[in-house]
Amino acid sequence: METQMYGTKEEQENAIRYYDKLSVIYDYISNWYYKKARNYAIKELQLKNGQTVLNVPCGTGVNFKYFNEYLNNSGLIIGIDLSSGMLDKARQKIEKNGWTNIETELNDATKIDQNWLDYRDEQITVDAVFCDLGLSGLPEWRNIIDNMISILKPNGRIVILDWYLEKPSLKGDFVKWIGKGEVDRPIYQYLEMKVSNFKVDDSFNYGGIFVASGSKPE
């Protein structure tokens, strides 16, 4: 059975087309609105020289420069996204900056699991995973979190930056319209049950945006 992003195949194709178009202005929105939360989230990854970080979804690659500030252009950054428009922007950043430690892949986040890791050409150890504004829109989000944790090394870090608004509001309706996702999924509450050293900060942008982090239990 084919995994769909928003239910039907038509809905998934519509969502991908939407994000392909959004890629043109995504950096302007993301760099302005999510900058403080992103800086905090990437710090929580606790990246060190030579490590491997998986970014799902990676969008236009806005996180890459922040990763490399901690990695000092070493190690490996793997960016996964389902939108070719987003990935085109990410690859332009890679070429412009001359980064040699970044790989991008057009793929469905629901398919990134241990089998995906085992069948890669090169054997890698995933030290950190960053899920950036994706789990509120992707299907099977609980399974995605489980899979991300499963491919982490013991004590590896997982950090999620996303939206959570428990009650209906105009703000929530606007975010759903822009992002084509849901804002009331208990994402960080689920993560808390799966990791050690759990921490969450939901104070960003006057509430609604959270950063949750934890480590894979040994």
Side-chain angles (χ1 to χ4, degrees):
M1 180 177 179
E2 185 179 2
T3 300
Q4 303 300 341
M5 188 175 181
Y6 288 90
T8 68
K9 185 175 182 179
E10 182 180 0
E11 287 172 329
Q12 177 178 343
E13 291 173 348
N14 288 338
I16 293 172
R17 283 195 293 270
Y18 172 79
Y19 277 101
D20 285 346
K21 294 178 181 177
L22 186 65
S23 67
V24 177
I25 61 170
Y26 184 80
D27 282 2
Y28 299 103
I29 300 171
S30 184
N31 287 330
W32 164 65
Y33 196 74
Y34 297 103
K35 185 175 182 179
K36 185 175 180 180
R38 174 173 288 109
N39 284 336
Y40 174 80
I42 294 177
K43 183 178 180 180
E44 286 296 301
L45 289 169
Q46 301 176 9
L47 295 175
K48 301 177 180 63
N49 285 358
Q51 290 188 327
T52 295
V53 56
L54 178 63
N55 189 189
V56 183
C58 69
T60 62
V62 293
N63 301 311
F64 294 167
K65 68 176 182 179
Y66 298 98
F67 294 151
N68 267 329
E69 286 176 2
Y70 290 92
L71 294 171
N72 295 309
N73 299 316
S74 67
L76 177 63
I77 299 166
I78 304 173
I80 308 289
D81 208 283
L82 197 55
S83 164
S84 58
M86 291 285 190
L87 284 181
D88 285 344
K89 296 294 184 182
R91 289 162 181 159
Q92 289 173 21
K93 288 184 178 68
I94 294 170
E95 182 176 0
K96 179 180 178 180
N97 290 279
W99 291 321
T100 59
N101 65 330
I102 303 178
E103 299 177 5
T104 60
E105 182 177 323
L106 184 68
N107 208 337
D108 187 333
T110 61
K111 302 184 188 304
I112 307 303
D113 54 18
Q114 189 60 50
N115 288 331
W116 168 85
L117 189 64
D118 290 342
Y119 283 101
R120 283 180 55 83
D121 292 335
E122 54 182 322
Q123 295 298 311
I124 60 171
T125 298
V126 179
D127 299 282
V129 172
F130 186 33
C131 295
D132 179 16
L133 300 168
L135 293 175
S136 54
L138 294 167
E140 304 176 31
W141 59 271
R142 291 180 179 86
N143 288 338
I144 293 174
I145 291 175
D146 290 342
N147 287 338
M148 294 300 101
I149 295 172
S150 74
I151 64 178
L152 273 174
K153 72 174 188 180
N155 290 319
R157 298 285 292 169
I158 179 170
V159 177
I160 300 172
L161 186 163
D162 220 311
W163 281 90
Y164 180 67
L165 293 165
E166 185 176 8
K167 298 179 180 180
S169 65
L170 290 176
K171 185 177 184 179
D173 290 342
F174 180 74
V175 173
K176 289 170 68 175
W177 176 69
I178 289 292
K180 307 304 180 187
E182 302 297 329
V183 297
D184 59 353
R185 292 178 175 178
I187 295 170
Y188 71 73
Q189 295 89 334
Y190 184 77
L191 180 69
E192 183 176 10
M193 298 186 294
K194 299 292 181 173
V195 296
S196 59
N197 304 313
F198 174 81
K199 183 166 61 171
V200 63
D201 187 335
D202 59 357
S203 65
F204 298 100
N205 299 60
Y206 304 101
I209 298 172
F210 71 85
V211 174
S213 61
S215 303
K216 178 177 180 176
E218 290 192 66

